[in-house]
Amino acid sequence: MHPGHALTVMAAAFTAGAINSIAGGGTLVSFPSLLGIGLTGQQANVTSTIALWPGSIGGFWGHRENLAGTREFALRLMPVSLLGGALGAWLMLVTPQKVFDHLVPWLILAATVLLAANDPVNKLLKKVGGHDRTSGWWMGAMVFQFIVGIYGGYFGAGIGILMLAALSLLGLTDIHQMNGLKNLLALCINGVAIFAFLLTEFLRHPGNVQWVLVGLMAVAAGLGGLFGSHMAHRVGRTTVRAGVVTIGFVLTAWYFYKTYGI
């Protein structure tokens, strides 16, 4: 491996870890960095997902006390999260490489728009307020979470805002509870996707997981997460999110130009 490539992806993973610990959206940095050193879209997606997952475990564990009082939500939404994540991962793995590479600009655009919508959606939901959790609302939430799981297993960036919106409409108002449950469900989605990626890697089609890069990025992302946790109050979530959204739109424009010539 070229030393410059190693430094590039480690710097991106460090930044992604810091971003995830403050505001979320770190995939918008780690994923393009892997594309930039020559990985295919699927290789970059799988490698980035596996490398950043340990950081999400730490984030979940550090906020596990926020799950108090969410048992009913977890029991209903975890199974559909796992099923959706597994289906999304399978769809990603069976997508022809050329097709996935053409989807990259759209995936980055979708993740950027979701991240940009975070604050406006949260403000709107505070005005709308929660609803009684009737059987119809539960069914709607489970179907929605299943769709979120599919997207999360396929690509994943930006699923947090979708889950927060659904939980708010189900009547949850405590942002700490919502974040704790969101972290748990995201862990399920990404975890089952990683299991599918590894199963395919070892049993059928090796080559998607770039193990050296996974190791380097996992360490760098962990250090970035620690750094981000110390910087969170100094920098602020809004500032970081605005920066990531700007990066996302720039990358979207670049990959549309690179892929379609527009």
Side-chain angles (χ1 to χ4, degrees), residues 218-245:
V219 172
L223 294 174
L226 291 174
F227 175 77
S229 64
H230 289 296
M231 294 296 294
H233 297 295
R234 297 183 183 181
V235 180
R237 179 174 298 181
T238 302
T239 301
V240 173
R241 183 172 289 126
V244 177
V245 168

Side-chain angles (χ1 to χ4, degrees), residues 94-256:
V94 300
T95 300
Q97 182 60 59
K98 188 173 291 186
V99 173
F100 189 87
D101 287 343
H102 276 78
L103 288 175
V104 165
W106 298 99
L107 293 171
I108 295 176
L109 175 62
T112 303
V113 170
L114 286 172
L115 198 63
N118 192 299
D119 288 337
V121 169
N122 282 337
K123 291 178 181 178
L124 176 63
L125 292 173
K126 288 179 181 178
K127 295 179 181 179
V128 173
H131 295 270
D132 293 332
R133 294 190 285 276
T134 63
S135 58
W137 275 102
W138 275 119
M139 182 58 66
M142 291 168 68
V143 171
F144 183 78
Q145 184 63 25
F146 178 69
I147 295 171
V148 172
I150 294 174
Y151 169 70
Y154 196 91
F155 186 60
I159 58 175
I161 178 58
L162 295 175
M163 289 189 285
L164 287 176
L167 294 173
S168 179
L169 290 175
L170 273 173
L172 275 179
T173 56
D174 187 330
I175 189 61
H176 299 297
Q177 276 189 329
M178 293 164 69
N179 274 323
L181 191 55
K182 176 204 72 175
N183 290 339
L184 172 63
L185 298 176
L187 202 64
C188 292
I189 293 169
N190 290 326
V192 74
I194 288 172
F195 178 78
F197 296 156
L198 294 179
L199 200 63
T200 302
E201 179 75 13
F202 290 124
L203 298 181
R204 296 185 60 190
H205 302 295
N208 270 339
V209 183
Q210 304 299 300
W211 290 108
V212 174
L213 294 176
V214 166
L216 293 174
M217 292 176 71
V219 172
L223 294 174
L226 291 174
F227 175 77
S229 64
H230 289 296
M231 294 296 294
H233 297 295
R234 297 183 183 181
V235 180
R237 179 174 298 181
T238 302
T239 301
V240 173
R241 183 172 289 126
V244 177
V245 168
T246 300
I247 292 171
F249 280 123
V250 171
L251 289 171
T252 297
W254 165 247
Y255 282 107
F256 267 110

